[in-house]
């Protein structure tokens, strides 16, 4: 049915978009085609006044008005009420955002790397200027987890957050689980479908997820989390044998971003993890994302949806634009940085987790006793143990022994794995993967 637009008054709010890539194009599309609807929601007209790009002559979607393209981003920023930064990377995005605050603009960004590395600096610049800094799209695309942590759960005590925050790695691991592909095959398929870049390093090595973990930790625990403090492991060492062993034990493997408030302090880590098949995160398939929050009063919450792609990410950006524009038109400010807690950052070695250790061992009596002693030496107990006569193990002249430990300190688990590797009965430590979500 036809939409009746509420009247809007005053001069249009000037919006400048920096970047006309996949997400930028979708944001521009909405600003061009839905400006009246957006204006009605805001209570003030909005006008796209320019699009900053590196190369004005480059081919791009016809929806992007060529008359608004400019390579002079600094001048464009200086004349805007709201600057939407969708360029990515640290520079020149950081300098342009600081310039936007200096010239009185509010800022919306989807730049996870920048927020993770320079969030406090940007927050301070926004506060000095009395303007907004919004970044919903920086963590999980269309999933409104930033707003939930920054506002909806600000009165609660968040204990832990586990997130599948990278669609590329989730797609790869899901294909290995559901279709039996190996890592190379699944990555190639992800690239063919456009889920993975030609250079997938940032995704498969966990760099993308680590930046998001740093942002989530800062929001959840009201404590600045340096990106360098996020422990990170990628998925490149995960094998088909790991996936099969996890399935046999009732788990699936996911790349998780985990942040938690522990007795030792706030911890943030990214690594492949075994997740029980009954856990909500185990059912997140394809390139979808999900963030699972555990809080004192709210209990367990899960936010699920598309974590990447032009239209889903643009949805989060446009929501931020509406919020920032309302504040410009009617007053108000976005939440400022909340870092009052200043909780110490705990070392990765102090994390408590469980391991699935997959060993190739000699097929002779007494091997399990040696292995058990090595675990006991470091205060690590066994929850479950299985032995398999697999072709892969036989090629090394042994059998496969799979151990799942009880929860223990990461440093003790690491020392255990190192000692196991030195036992004469152990031919090879095939893998050691954490078990989470239990």
């Amino acid at each position: 049915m036809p939409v009746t637009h509420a009247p809007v008054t005053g001069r249009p709010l000037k919006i400048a978009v920096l970047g006309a890539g996949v997400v930028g194009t979708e944001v521009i599309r909405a600003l061009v085609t839905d400006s009246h609807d957006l204006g009605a929601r805001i209570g003030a007209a909005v006008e796209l006044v320019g699009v900053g790009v590196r190369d004005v002559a480059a081919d791009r979607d016809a929806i992007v008005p060529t008359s608004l393209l400019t390579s002079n981003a600094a001048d464009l920023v200086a004349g805007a009420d709201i600057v939407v930064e969708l360029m990515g990377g640290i520079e020149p995005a950081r300098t342009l955002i600081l310039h936007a605050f200096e010239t009185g603009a509010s800022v919306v960004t989807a730049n996870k790397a920048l927020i993770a590395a320079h969030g406090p600096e940007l927050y301070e610049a926004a506060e000095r200027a009395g303007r907004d800094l919004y970044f919903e799209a920086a963590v999980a695309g269309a999933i409104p987890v930033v707003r939930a942590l920054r506002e909806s759960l600000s009165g609660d005590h968040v204990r832990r957050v586990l997130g599948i925050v990278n669609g590329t790695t989730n797609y790869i691991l899901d294909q290995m689980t559901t279709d039996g592909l190996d890592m190379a095959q699944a990555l190639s398929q992800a690239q063919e479908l456009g889920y993975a870049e030609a250079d997938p390093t940032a995704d498969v090595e966990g760099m993308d997820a680590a930046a998001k973990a740093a942002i989530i930790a800062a929001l959840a625990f009201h404590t600045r989390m340096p990106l360098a403090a996020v422990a990170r492991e990628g998925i490149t060492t995960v094998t088909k044998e790991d996936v099969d062993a996890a399935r046999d034990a009732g788990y699936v493997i996911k790349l998780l971003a985990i942040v938690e408030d522990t007795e030792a302090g706030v911890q943030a880590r990214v690594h492949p993890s075994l997740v029980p098949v009954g856990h909500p995160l185990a059912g997140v398939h394809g390139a979808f994302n999900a963030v699972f929050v555990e809080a004192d009063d709210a209990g367990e919450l899960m936010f699920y949806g598309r974590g990447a792609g032009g239209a889903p990410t643009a949805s989060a950006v446009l929501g931020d634009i509406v919020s920032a524009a309302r504040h410009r038109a009617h007053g108000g400010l976005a939440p400022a940085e909340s870092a009052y807690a200043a909780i110490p950052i705990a070392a990765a070695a102090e994390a408590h987790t469980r391991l699935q250790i997959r060993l190739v061992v000699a097929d002779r009596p007494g091997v399990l006793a040696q292995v058990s002693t090595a675990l006991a030496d470091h205060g690590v107990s066994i929850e479950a143990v299985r032995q398999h006569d697999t072709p892969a193990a036989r090629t090394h002249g042994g059998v496969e022994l799979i151990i799942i430990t009880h929860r223990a300190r990461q440093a003790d688990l690491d020392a255990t794995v190192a000692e196991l590797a030195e036992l004469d009965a152990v031919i090879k430590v095939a893998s050691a993967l954490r078990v989470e979500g239990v």
Side-chain angles (χ1 to χ4, degrees):
M1 62 182 295
V3 176
T4 301
H5 295 292
V8 294
T9 59
R11 72 168 180 83
L13 294 170
K14 298 178 180 179
I15 300 179
V17 176
L18 304 180
V22 174
V23 178
T25 297
E26 293 304 318
V27 171
I28 291 164
R29 187 186 310 279
L31 291 172
V32 170
T33 62
D34 299 332
S35 61
H36 293 299
D37 198 18
L38 290 171
R41 298 176 193 182
I42 294 163
V46 292
E47 178 187 3
L48 177 63
V49 295
V51 179
V53 294
R54 290 184 176 86
D55 182 3
V56 173
D59 290 336
R60 49 182 51 91
D61 194 296
I63 196 65
V64 181
T66 56
S67 61
L68 296 182
L69 294 174
T70 178
S71 59
N72 190 340
D75 282 356
L76 175 60
V77 163
D81 296 304
I82 299 170
V83 172
V84 183
E85 185 276 306
L86 301 171
M87 305 168 67
I90 302 299
E91 291 292 355
R94 171 183 163 274
T95 297
L96 289 169
I97 287 177
L98 293 174
H99 183 47
F101 288 133
E102 290 167 357
T103 55
S106 290
V107 172
V108 173
T109 179
N111 195 330
K112 55 189 171 287
L114 183 60
I115 295 296
H118 295 280
E121 178 187 24
L122 301 181
Y123 268 122
E124 289 167 5
E127 187 172 1
R128 284 195 304 270
R131 295 301 184 216
D132 290 341
L133 172 63
Y134 279 108
F135 50 91
E136 182 64 69
V139 172
I143 306 172
V145 67
V146 170
R147 198 173 298 270
L149 292 171
R150 201 180 184 190
E151 300 181 44
S152 303
L153 293 172
S154 61
D156 206 340
H157 175 226
V158 175
R159 297 191 307 274
R160 182 166 68 153
V161 182
L162 298 88
I164 297 171
V165 294
N166 183 274
T168 299
T169 52
N170 198 60
Y171 179 84
I172 291 169
L173 293 171
D174 191 45
Q175 290 302 107
M176 293 175 71
T177 300
T178 59
D179 287 3
L181 304 184
D182 63 25
M183 176 68 64
Q185 292 170 324
L187 173 57
S188 176
Q189 192 172 100
Q191 289 171 322
E192 290 173 5
L193 293 171
Y195 294 142
E197 301 288 344
D199 179 2
T201 303
D203 294 323
V204 299
E205 294 294 350
M207 299 171 186
D208 174 85
K212 295 171 180 178
I215 297 170
I216 291 171
L219 294 171
F221 305 123
H222 308 278
T223 295
R224 290 179 175 178
M225 172 59 69
L227 180 56
V230 181
R232 173 180 59 82
E233 296 175 22
I235 66 167
T236 54
T237 60
V238 177
T239 65
K240 185 177 182 300
E241 288 75 21
D242 290 325
V243 171
D244 292 343
R247 182 193 301 110
D248 291 345
Y251 298 90
V252 294
I253 298 178
K254 300 290 185 181
L255 181 72
L256 294 185
I258 302 170
V259 302
E260 53 189 333
D261 185 4
T262 72
E263 290 184 3
V266 172
Q267 292 177 333
R269 46 197 168 98
V270 170
H271 48 68
S273 307
L274 276 72
V275 179
V277 292
H279 194 282
L281 290 175
V284 179
H285 298 292
F288 278 72
N289 282 190
V291 178
F292 189 81
V293 181
E294 300 172 6
D296 281 351
D297 296 327
E300 297 179 344
L301 307 169
M302 192 167 91
F303 303 85
Y304 168 84
R306 297 187 181 277
T313 306
S315 171
V317 172
L318 289 161
D320 282 350
I321 291 173
V322 169
S323 295
R326 282 175 177 163
H327 290 158
R328 292 304 304 264
H330 309 297
L333 283 174
E337 180 186 26
S338 178
Y340 76 91
I343 303 171
I345 306 302
E350 296 303 314
H352 281 71
T353 185
R354 300 160 69 211
L355 280 188
Q356 175 184 272
I357 307 170
R358 200 162 57 80
L359 305 171
V360 177
V361 300
D363 188 9
R364 64 172 188 251
V367 170
L368 183 57
Q370 289 186 46
V371 170
S372 299
T373 299
L375 270 73
D377 286 345
H378 298 282
V380 177
S381 61
I382 296 174
E383 178 184 285
V385 61
R386 308 190 312 279
Q387 181 173 309
H388 293 285
D389 185 4
T390 66
R394 281 297 175 194
T395 62
H396 293 283
V399 294
E400 185 172 82
L401 190 67
I402 301 172
I403 297 166
I404 294 181
T405 75
H406 284 292
R407 194 171 176 85
R409 194 170 65 110
Q410 185 67 58
D412 296 326
L413 293 168
D414 291 342
T416 298
V417 172
E419 182 172 338
L420 289 172
E422 298 300 320
L423 294 180
D424 61 1
V426 175
I427 299 169
K428 177 184 178 183
V429 177
S431 66
L433 294 173
R434 295 168 184 83
V435 180
E436 298 287 349
V438 291

